[in-house]
Structure formats: C-alpha cells, structure tokens
Amino acid sequence: MADVCLILFHITVFFLLIEIGHSQETNPRSAGASAPGHVIIGGIFPVHQAVEKSMMFEPHVWPCVRFGPKGLAKAVAMINAIETMNKSPLLADINITLGYQIHDSCGDVTTGLRATADLIQQAICNRRTNISSCEQPVIAVVGASYSEISIAIARQLTLPMIPQCGHR
C-alpha cells in the first residue's frame, strides 16, 4: 500500500511540476521536465505511444497521441531516483546536486531523435563557447524503451561521446 501511495505521490508531483513551470517546454516540438543541478542526466521515455501522422509533404512536427502510463512511470522513477540521490549524504558532503532533463519520445524514432538533438545541443554549446548562457550539459542519457529508437539515439549520442543507458 505504501508503494502505491508513493507512486501516486510522484505522479501527482510530476503533473504539478508540468503545471507550475518547473517542467518546461525547451523546444516547441518536444515537451519535457527538467531540474537544475551540477550534473545533468538526460532521459528519453515514451510518455505517449505514437504520433499522429498525416499526409503532408512538408516537414513538420507530428503531435503525440495515446498516453502511455508505463513511460510516465519510468520518467517519474528517474525523477525519484535523482531526488533520492540528491538527499544522500555522499552527494551533500561534496556539495554536488544532480539534475535532469527528460523528453517524450512518443514511441517514434523521429521524435526521439529530435529530443536527443535537444539534449546534445547543450553539450555542443558548452564545448564551442565559454558563454554563461549555455546550460549545464547532459553527461549521460537514460532511454529509450524500444530498441528501434534506442539504436538510433545511440548513434546520435556517439558523436558528442555521451553515454546511454538503456532500460526496459
């Protein structure tokens, strides 16, 4: 019973974060959740299960459809794990906090690649310039759930040498 209450609490917190702006839409094409920290971990989860494709011949972003509770649960689990680690005396003693940047892959390769490009952009920004307007770069990525998306993301993450940890 306590586990169910804890899961419901984290789902509620996730939706509250989205509502009050702690989560952000960093790019109009991929909504996500983020929290600042000294070390940022990226996450790409299928919060939605598909995209609504149409017969348009011009490039555009397709909207995500069919909410996927398993993808949301994985995103909330990542948030919970990071928040738990931030409360750890080991990190508190060295004055380091972990942050996260989570995106929805919508169960689609193209959307997952766009989300990965958003994560990589910060790493490239920090390597090319020493401007303080760059956000803290993502140092590792968790995701995506489906092998088709994971393989494409892995190839994209190889270029800036960002490690990926898959999940199932």
Side-chain angles (χ1 to χ4, degrees):
M1 181 65 182
D3 291 336
V4 172
C5 290
L6 185 62
I7 290 170
L8 289 174
F9 171 75
H10 285 294
I11 290 172
T12 304
V13 168
F14 184 78
F15 283 118
L16 285 173
L17 293 176
I18 290 172
E19 187 65 30
I20 62 173
H22 184 63
S23 293
Q24 63 184 7
E25 192 166 319
T26 55
N27 190 322
R29 59 185 175 218
S30 77
S34 68
H38 297 100
V39 176
I40 305 296
I41 301 171
I44 298 177
F45 302 99
V47 178
H48 291 88
Q49 296 176 346
V51 293
E52 185 178 310
K53 297 182 179 181
S54 62
M55 294 298 295
M56 296 182 72
F57 294 106
E58 60 188 43
H60 68 285
V61 179
W62 294 319
C64 299
V65 295
R66 293 197 328 254
F67 173 74
K70 288 183 181 180
L72 177 63
K74 290 175 183 180
V76 171
M78 180 176 162
I79 293 170
N80 180 47
I82 289 173
E83 295 299 327
T84 302
M85 287 185 271
N86 281 335
K87 293 176 185 172
S88 163
L90 293 173
L91 288 180
D93 289 347
I94 57 175
N95 199 25
I96 290 180
T97 57
L98 299 177
Y100 55 85
Q101 191 172 353
I102 299 175
H103 292 280
D104 184 0
S105 71
C106 301
D108 177 64
V109 175
T110 304
T111 306
L113 289 171
R114 284 186 179 126
T116 305
D118 290 344
L119 296 175
I120 290 173
Q121 188 172 14
Q122 289 306 315
I124 292 170
C125 177
N126 282 323
R127 288 185 184 149
R128 289 192 179 158
T129 64
N130 289 330
I131 300 172
S132 61
S133 65
C134 295
E135 295 177 17
Q136 191 70 13
V138 171
I139 64 155
V141 174
V142 177
S145 291
Y146 308 116
S147 60
E148 178 185 14
I149 302 169
S150 293
I151 291 168
I153 288 172
R155 290 181 177 153
Q156 193 173 8
L157 290 171
T158 300
L159 297 173
M161 296 175 40
I162 298 174
Q164 175 189 18
C165 176
H167 61 85
R168 190 69 190 137

